[in-house]
Amino acid sequence: MQMGEGVEWGLHCCVTLAWLGDEGPVSIRKLAAWFDLPQEYLKKRLQALAKAGILTSTPGVRGGFALARPPEQITLMDVVVALEGADEAFRCAEIRQRGAGAVGADGEFGRPCGIAAAMRRAELAWRRELAAQTVADLMAHAPAGAERTRRNYARMGD
């Protein structure tokens, strides 16, 4: 399974916006410069997060993005689903029911195969882990980042 780079971008932006919460909306220009990312691609990711209710988007000269809810209420899974969709990573096509291998199975296919069941258990564990971690947890693992972020943001100016 491979997630797009937008998930990393989205999560880092959420943490940064949380640290800059008192600054009001942060412009897409500043966020793109902050991480040296292409502004239009980043904007699409952040718009998806706004559509999902993770960020707010304020239009205008003083506009930008901010967290829509407290960091404790935004899970990593929220961000992943907003940017990658909710589809399961593994999709069983039941190929065991096709071709010569299916001849004589007589009811053997009434339950999901062991492969589908194992993949589903693994995905559920992955989803549970991401749902248990919040933006606030990420912030807690990098406490020095908060002060550095505020200091560097103040140096950026308008």
Side-chain angles (χ1 to χ4, degrees), residues 115-150:
I115 294 167
M119 294 296 208
R120 181 71 181 141
R121 283 191 309 274
E123 180 153 350
L124 287 174
W126 174 77
R127 287 177 180 269
R128 274 191 301 272
E129 183 64 25
L130 291 178
Q133 297 289 311
T134 67
V135 169
D137 295 328
L138 295 177
M139 295 167 71
H141 290 312
E147 183 53 38
R148 179 183 41 78
T149 297
R150 289 186 195 103

Side-chain angles (χ1 to χ4, degrees), residues 7-94:
V7 172
E8 177 189 6
W9 297 5
L11 287 167
H12 278 291
C13 285
C14 284
V15 170
T16 300
L17 291 170
W19 279 329
L20 297 173
D22 296 341
E23 299 293 331
V26 178
S27 74
I28 188 66
R29 181 185 56 78
K30 282 188 175 181
L31 284 169
W34 189 263
F35 293 111
D36 192 25
L37 296 172
Q39 184 172 316
E40 287 307 308
Y41 288 116
L42 179 60
K43 184 177 181 180
K44 289 179 185 179
R45 288 357 177 254
L46 299 186
Q47 286 172 334
L49 293 174
K51 185 178 179 182
I54 295 168
L55 300 181
T56 59
S57 175
T58 305
V61 177
R62 294 270 177 220
F65 292 91
L67 291 184
R69 43 190 210 252
E72 298 81 17
Q73 295 177 12
I74 301 170
T75 70
L76 277 62
M77 195 70 227
D78 293 336
V79 174
V80 169
V81 168
L83 295 170
E84 295 285 316
D87 292 343
E88 294 180 6
F90 180 80
R91 289 172 202 86
C92 182
E94 280 293 349

Side-chain angles (χ1 to χ4, degrees), residues 97-122:
Q97 295 184 36
R98 302 191 312 234
V103 175
D106 298 330
E108 182 182 335
F109 304 130
R111 295 185 355 218
C113 70
I115 294 167
M119 294 296 208
R120 181 71 181 141
R121 283 191 309 274

